[in-house]
Structure formats: structure tokens, C-alpha cells
Amino acid sequence: MEKANPGVVFEEPLAGLDPSSPPRFIPGKGLYLGAITEKEMGIQTAAATEKEIAPLYVGESQVYRSSWEKSSSFSGQQQGFAYSTSFIDGKDSEKLNIGQRVQVKAKRSGPEAQSYEGKIFSIDKELIAIIGKAEVILQIFDPGHTLQVGDWVNFETTLGLAATWITIPETAILDTASGCFCYVFLGKGHYLRKPIEVAFVSQGVGALKKGLEKGEEVVIQGAKQLWLLELSLSQSGGPSTY
């Protein structure tokens, strides 16, 4: 009589795990969790979606001209606006445009730093060949004259044009020494770790070059715990008593 394949005997019960079953890991097939373990780990999932998004550039800039100063016909700078300067990577400067809107926030202590509307006033690329950076001047609407020379501000703006990407929440992304991954929920307590390639992360959302299809359910809470559990099970070679 032909002997049964021990691998099949081991895997068959996993299709209908008892709620109290200990977690199991099968190389190439992923993690299998009972309902009690899932609840204890607080796992939450969300579907990968298609979204039009652009990278977000975040930087610091220092005010060198206050808004109370009179307009200058020589420089084109106007009263009622503060002006700040920053140096950014030359490659990033190629993706910015004069007149582009920026959101500015005063870099001061306290929970409610004041916010301002602004735009890119000028981009000077002469220094790129020397230090690899371009000088970017921001024009900040400040009719209340609250920004003073020497103040530092944080600013953010889009870096290049928006495009359609497969996106997942940033919390689903695991950037490890072994590579970049996420966990896909396959139903009935079954979770599979999949490699992904992230183009960029912007506003809490990761844009993916490859690795997932639209609609796949990914773990957005509990992904790190799943990774640690997988490491533990793969090293021990048996079920966990999580």
C-alpha cells in the first residue's frame, strides 16, 4: 500500500482551523491563524486601491524678508508677503515649478503652530553643479506680519505630476532587512507575506510599482506582529503558543 504524503496530512486541517487552534506557518503558503489569535492580535485589513497621487516634498525654509517690508521693484518681492529660502536636492528641483502652491507651517514650539498659504517664488539652479543643490525661494502670504527674519518654517508641496498607482496604507508596508513586504489576507485565517516594490510614500499612502493587484486585501494593523510570528514559527519549525 502506498504511503500517504505527510505534507498533505499536515495541511488538510488548516482549511478549517478551530478558533482556538495555535498559529501555524507553512513555507510558501503563509500563516494560518485561529479566530482567537486573530482577535488578540487586533488584525485589520483594507483593499489595495487605484489612486491618482503624487509624491509630497517636505522641507524646511528660513525667513529672510518680513511681510511688513515695502515692495521692491528690483526683486519683485511685495509687501504683505514674507520670503524664505531653502536649498534642496538638484534632482528634486527639476520636479518643482515657479508659482506652484505650497503649504507652510511656522516651526515653533507649541501644539498649534500657525499655517500659511504660499507659492514657489523662484528656483535658482546655479549651485547645482557645485554643491548639487538648488535654492528655492518661497513667497508666504502673511498680512498679519507674524513671521520674522530668521524664523524657520516647514513646507510641503507636490513633487511632480500626479499619476495613477496601486496604493495601500503606509501601515501595511514592512520595510525589513529581508526586503519590503506586506501581508495579504486570503480568507479563513490565512495570511501570505508578499514582496512589494514601493515607488514612494506620501500622506500616509504607499504607491506601489509592483507586487499587488487592485482589490487584494492587505493587513493594515498587525502586520509587524505577523512578521514576528512568522519568524518565530519558521525558526522553531512548529506551531506557536501565541
Side-chain angles (χ1 to χ4, degrees), residues 30-76:
L31 288 163
Y32 294 82
L33 310 182
I36 292 177
T37 301
E38 285 183 301
K39 184 176 181 180
E40 288 177 346
M41 296 180 76
I43 293 174
Q44 295 181 17
T45 65
T49 60
E50 280 189 344
K51 185 176 182 180
E52 192 173 86
I53 188 174
L56 192 67
Y57 185 87
V58 178
E60 294 180 332
S61 190
Q62 188 172 31
V63 176
Y64 68 87
R65 186 181 192 276
S66 298
S67 61
W68 53 262
E69 296 184 42
K70 294 182 179 180
S71 299
S72 168
S73 58
F74 172 75
S75 65

Side-chain angles (χ1 to χ4, degrees), residues 95-138:
K95 301 175 184 178
L96 299 177
N97 297 293
I98 294 174
Q100 183 173 324
R101 292 182 62 186
V102 295
Q103 295 294 321
V104 179
K105 183 171 287 189
K107 193 176 181 182
R108 294 172 180 159
S109 59
E112 296 183 358
Q114 188 168 347
S115 297
Y116 305 83
E117 294 288 336
K119 69 177 183 180
I120 296 175
F121 182 73
S122 67
I123 303 174
D124 186 348
K125 301 180 181 180
E126 289 188 6
L127 290 175
I128 293 178
I130 303 172
I131 62 173
K133 295 182 180 294
E135 183 181 22
V136 175
I137 303 296
L138 304 182

Side-chain angles (χ1 to χ4, degrees), residues 170-190:
E170 184 179 5
T171 55
I173 299 171
L174 288 167
D175 191 3
T176 75
S178 302
C180 201
F181 307 97
C182 70
Y183 276 91
V184 177
F185 175 57
L186 300 177
K188 296 183 179 179
H190 185 188

Side-chain angles (χ1 to χ4, degrees), residues 134-182:
E135 183 181 22
V136 175
I137 303 296
L138 304 182
Q139 182 188 64
I140 307 166
F141 185 56
D142 182 26
H145 315 309
T146 55
L147 291 173
Q148 303 301 317
V149 172
D151 284 350
W152 284 91
V153 297
N154 293 320
F155 72 96
E156 58 182 46
T157 188
T158 55
L159 196 64
L161 299 175
T164 300
W165 300 86
I166 296 294
T167 64
I168 58 176
E170 184 179 5
T171 55
I173 299 171
L174 288 167
D175 191 3
T176 75
S178 302
C180 201
F181 307 97
C182 70

